[in-house]
Amino acid sequence: MTEEMTSKADRISTPVNIVVAGAGITGIRTAIDFAASGYKVLLVDKAMHGGGILTRLDHQFPNDHCGMCRMLPMIDRGTDKETCLRRGLFHENILTCYSTEVVAVDGKAGDLAVNLSVVPTGVDKTRCSGCGECERVCPVMVPDHFNGDWVNRKAIFLPTPHLSPDSRVIDWQACTSCGACVEVCPTHAITLNGEREQVELKGVYAVVLARGVNLYDPALTDVYGYGVLPNVVTATDFERIMSSSGPYQGEMMRPSDGKPIKKIAWIQCVGSRNVMIGADFCSSVCCMFAVKEAILAKQKMGKESDAVIFYMDMRTFGRDFQRYKDEAENVKGIRFVRMRVHSIQLHENTDDLLISYVNKDGEQVDEIFDLVVLSTGRKKDFLTCDWAEADGVFQVDRLPGFKDIADSVVGASAISEQVLRMIHQQNLKPDKNESDHSPDISFVERRPSYITVLCDCNTSLSNPIDFQKLENTIHALSSGHQILRVEQACSKEGWQTIRKAIMDGQANRCLIMACDAAVDFSRKREFTNELGFPVSFVDLLDVVSLVRRFQEGEDATDTVSKEVFMRLNRLGTRSYASPLKQAQVKTVLVIGGGPAGLQAASVLAAHGFTVKLVEKTDRLGGKLAQIEESDLKQHVEKMLAGVNKNPQIDVYLETEVIQTSGRPGVCMTKLKHASGETRIIHHGATILATGGKEVDTSASVVSESHERIITGFDMDAMLKANDSDLVKGPVSTVVMIQCVGSRQEPNNYCSRICCLKSLKNAIRIKDLHPETDIYIFYRDIMTYGNSEILYTEARKKGVLFIPFDTDNPPRINMASGAIIIEGDDPFLGEPVQIKADWLALATGVMPNDVSDLKQVFSFETTQDGFIQEADSKWRPVDTERVGVFVCGLARTPARLDEVLLEANAAAQRVLTLLEKDHTSYSPVTARVRNAICSVCGICIEVCPYQARYMDEDRRVVHVDNLACQGCGTCAAECPNNATVLGEYEDHGVMSMIESSL
Amino acid sequence: MGTDTETKRKQSAVKEKAPLRPVESPMDICLGCGTCSAGCAMTGVDGFDPRKIVRKVLMGRDAELVGSKLPWICTMCGKCEHACPMGINIVNMIRTLRGMVDRDKVPGMIQKGVELCLETGNNLGLPAEDFTFIIEDVAAEMAEEPGFEGFTVPIDKKGANLLHTLHNKLVNTQNEDLVHWWKIFHMAGEDFTIPSENWEGVNWGLFSGDDESMKIVVGRIVEHMDRLEIKNLMYPE
């Protein structure tokens, strides 16, 4: 067994509580959830890197930026490296292991044996300095699949461009074992043995299966020429074309001939919504994905460019998506053509691509494009494995679809909650770190005594640096400095030498001059814990990167000396304050007694929390009566009964929240009953589940009421009542109109449920009365995911669908007492006129009014009154206010199953906050020097995390140390320097700057 | 257009008659996506547009379609249904519509061919003796070429290996194409034969939507094979 493999197996066999299989976005989310609660997590992936599909994307809709890092813990920030997640996931409780598969899971939940099959990377991370020499000398070139096979890569390479440089791996299929890399590696980090190794873990509590989806291979669709026509690419390929880390460095040039791209077509639904290939589903994300790509591409292509999206229905079903699409169309000039493209042809003898289609006037049009992007959805078949159904395995998606980031993150946290519930119910504990490592105060408070460790990296640094001269300069700084020369700080021996020198020499400030590999994140933690150092008393100077700037033969000593000076000066000014520990109140306030609130309350009670459930009306259950799905209805009814009986849940009906104070973990809130009586409750966190309601916008299309013009909700209710006219029949003709008052200003969002409701109503009517004619006027049918089958079923049953545009909606004529709907059939270009027995208007939903609560909790709301989450992609159930969470219709229109999932996810976020008895905060937080603070309040306004508040009685500004993320905005804005940021106080930073001059 | 009776849907006869493709695909399932229209070479010709035709069928407007020229514009190439994501059998739908047209309204040439074939055994109405004369004459000419000396065409040969039907065009104007086939048979030593009557190798009932006549024409070939005890058929349309 090689050294490398020993080390990898060793690393894995440290205690593991939970194994997460699949390191895409859902896997990462659950891993962080468990890690934040103190559990040891092993995160594995079959691929050579983590991050899944997202590693290929630089931007996400609808905000066009990344922000993956926002998933990292915001409390206990010292536990992770706080670095870009695309560089890697570094958390003290998470071990990541790629090219690794779970092959078997045996035993019972809470005590599992998990077998892993590990392919070594070939590169020992603990030794690799990330210098890249190996890649430079590697003689093997293979197509770089990550970048659409347009460029080549080496056999030893970085699997994704943003990864930290010590993450190089060997592609064993490409490697010829020539040994060039082994020879050149200065730290002997490479071993050419790619044999799989089996590792067995015992005593694992649970395994999370986050398998994700594979993308459809468009080469299977012969008419689009993917794989034959070089300028036909997939949407993920196109991300690489646009990326500055992609094959063309972000230049918009096309693969065949490098011609600048000026005109692009997107073709939607490739591999989706196609019964001929068994894909009777919608892949949910491709519409928004295409809009985003079109916007970014248009920006990059500049003037005189054209971006066209060929689509059937633009599925903008997220809360903010319709406005995003409208802006793309009306402001950014993206063209949307409602037409499924038949085929792509080469234009004459060029590489240009010809698409023929029929325009709105029914005329055949030919257009020439530089590039065609296929919006490929998910594969029909899901990835599966033998152990998926084993006891103790939690599947993130039993029926996985292709989900956007927000839905993935919600689904992931919902699973984390279930796993932790099992763990809590079995009373299993996290594998704690050996001890609670608070630094030894007497030791750290002593005068600074320095040790500088100089690694010459096997003499490879001795050329650019004159070590004797460097030592002399350091000694000249002050004679008390200890200096230790080591050959390889990264090796085990080097590491032990350093440790011993520090112990013996009694230094309490340490500067290590080596490379990133020498002191990786976990080693630095281990080091400071063992030696009783605060993390901030150890500094690492990555001298390898520093020296790389110099040409061969140049002397880098002066530059390095200066840098060493700066660092030592900075270390001298560091001070240490023991973190405040705060006991937490294990009670949760849940506002709203509808399905979301009931779910959150029940779940939290099951974890042992006390729940205060506050409901404005005189009963719990919310819109229970309207729930269609019988299984979900039963579930909510069961919860309702359970909540009323549960001694851990106190229900306050006809009660509102009128005031709150405190900080995450310790809050005090005043409730007011309808009778006027008030009471104060203590709690650690809050979940806003204030729900929503149907919005009756019928008036926007009908001037007067008519007993047979009803809403979709009414029709649903009628169809449930056995004695209603609709059920009894006969019914000759039913017409439905979608998006009444929705998806246009002022309610410019999709309500998500109206299409499903209309389809279900239509199918039910057809089942009752097959002879009834049903016509549905629609803009875009929003049957995302697997609900597409409802749309297909309705059509099969003979429901006729008639699309319309907002500028030409169907008109309702009641002049003769009859209901006559007039519109246009765009397919035929003919007017239609239908006499209806019943007209159902698909009205949407809106959030309940939360303006009072907004005052109390100071969260933000969207222009439509939904509660604004902290980040719509990465932190969908958090509000900007730490400790206050949101779920359900209060945040976004959603189906009931989605609402319930959000409630679980919100409960999980509460767990992360309150699971530990105490909480401590990061040293990098802001502090106010009250003596010189003028209480102007600017800092409160500018704080992006709402971490500051004014104590009006004492006229002082407080910082909530848990909410504060150490961004420094307040310190920069403060007019009298009254705000200081921990570890970045002025005198320390100034002294560092001075020493560099 | 525009009265409620016209929009009112009827149970479509076209829908009921059109056979199904491998997936269950009555026209009802149409998404209106436009793939068919975009791919059709005839879209825009005299108002032809496959999506419009499917749509009208969905609306039960069979009569309107049957009375129009539209069903006869289609070339039945099948490009539309090759890409149709819902697997709608558009070509069959068109054919079924054609079948619903009164026979005296079927475009002249096709209908005449069908009628002559039923009557005489070939679309040209060529008498049997003329046919035999042409075949023997062409065969004799071929036999003059070196390597094909003594070649004759076996007619109604009992127990042959292969029955060979003929496209009327080959008999009428393009005799040299007959020779190509025969040369191959001769060199390959194939034991083939040609029927003396009902030799027609095209079946225009396919295009006119006439199932009955199609059946009769096919039935004749089956009859030949039974009578002559031949197992293999070559039907070079």
Side-chain angles (χ1 to χ4, degrees), chain A residues 222 275 342 795 798 801 833, chain B residues 2 9 29 55 79 82 85:
Chain A
D222 57 357
V275 300
H342 179 278
R795 296 198 314 279
F801 291 82
Q833 191 184 54
Chain B
R9 306 188 59 201
I29 202 178
R55 189 78 176 165
K79 197 176 161 196
H82 176 75

Side-chain angles (χ1 to χ4, degrees), chain A residues 304-438:
Chain A
E304 322 251 314
S305 64
D306 202 0
V308 188
I309 297 178
F310 291 94
Y311 72 102
M312 300 198 291
D313 297 280
M314 276 320 285
R315 294 206 163 152
T316 53
F317 56 85
R319 186 192 64 201
D320 306 328
F321 297 174
Q322 184 63 37
R323 286 195 177 98
Y324 184 72
K325 185 250 165 182
D326 287 352
E327 195 186 329
E329 184 165 21
N330 303 327
V331 181
K332 311 233 156 124
I334 311 296
R335 279 164 55 211
F336 290 84
V337 177
R338 190 170 212 145
M339 171 67 48
R340 189 161 176 148
V341 170
H342 179 278
S343 47
I344 304 168
Q345 296 165 52
L346 276 184
H347 176 54
E348 292 165 358
N349 290 325
T350 66
D351 290 339
D352 298 344
L353 301 165
L354 171 78
I355 290 179
S356 297
Y357 64 93
V358 176
N359 69 11
K360 271 191 173 175
D361 302 322
E363 293 156 350
Q364 188 106 18
V365 183
D366 286 352
E367 276 201 66
I368 315 289
F369 296 92
D370 296 321
L371 190 83
V372 174
V373 182
L374 306 179
S375 289
T376 43
R378 71 162 167 87
K379 246 187 192 165
K380 181 178 67 171
D381 301 313
F382 300 115
L383 305 167
T384 188
C385 54
D386 306 339
W387 46 269
E389 301 294 331
D391 194 41
V393 175
F394 293 75
Q395 296 184 45
V396 172
D397 281 302
R398 293 206 146 260
L399 267 179
F402 203 2
K403 292 192 175 123
D404 73 351
I405 293 164
D407 286 349
S408 303
V409 167
V410 166
S413 281
I415 279 294
S416 305
E417 183 280 312
Q418 285 179 34
V419 173
L420 290 179
R421 205 185 318 161
M422 180 277 288
I423 287 176
H424 291 158
Q425 281 163 356
Q426 292 202 27
N427 212 11
L428 302 166
K429 297 281 176 251
D431 244 306
K432 286 275 180 216
N433 294 331
E434 305 72 56
S435 60
D436 194 5
H437 306 283
S438 349

Side-chain angles (χ1 to χ4, degrees), chain A residues 500-535:
Chain A
K500 187 165 180 301
I502 296 171
M503 300 272 223
D504 294 349
Q506 290 287 300
N508 63 1
R509 298 287 194 282
C510 177
L511 173 65
I512 301 175
M513 188 189 91
C515 64
D516 220 4
V519 187
D520 72 1
F521 175 70
S522 55
R523 222 178 221 179
K524 193 168 165 184
R525 291 291 293 191
E526 184 189 310
F527 183 64
T528 50
N529 286 345
E530 236 176 82
L531 299 175
F533 267 49
V535 181

Side-chain angles (χ1 to χ4, degrees), chain A residues 222 274-276 312 339-340 342 356 358 364 732-733 773 775 791 795 798 801-802 825 827-828 830 833, chain B residues 2 7-9 23 28-35 38-39 43 52 55 59 61 79 82 84-87:
Chain A
D222 57 357
N274 185 338
V275 300
M276 285 304 279
M312 300 198 291
M339 171 67 48
R340 189 161 176 148
H342 179 278
S356 297
V358 176
Q364 188 106 18
S732 168
T733 305
D773 287 322
Y775 300 88
Y791 183 27
R795 296 198 314 279
F801 291 82
I802 306 170
D825 185 321
F827 303 134
L828 294 177
E830 291 172 357
Q833 191 184 54
Chain B
T7 318
K8 186 81 183 163
R9 306 188 59 201
V23 295
D28 273 338
I29 202 178
C30 175
L31 272 170
C33 68
T35 303
T43 295
K52 287 187 178 174
R55 189 78 176 165
M59 291 179 155
R61 287 157 67 173
K79 197 176 161 196
H82 176 75
C84 173
M86 292 297 129

Side-chain angles (χ1 to χ4, degrees), chain B residues 48-64:
Chain B
F48 186 81
D49 180 336
R51 175 166 62 173
K52 287 187 178 174
I53 296 180
V54 173
R55 189 78 176 165
K56 285 185 178 170
V57 170
L58 282 187
M59 291 179 155
R61 287 157 67 173
D62 301 13
E64 181 189 334

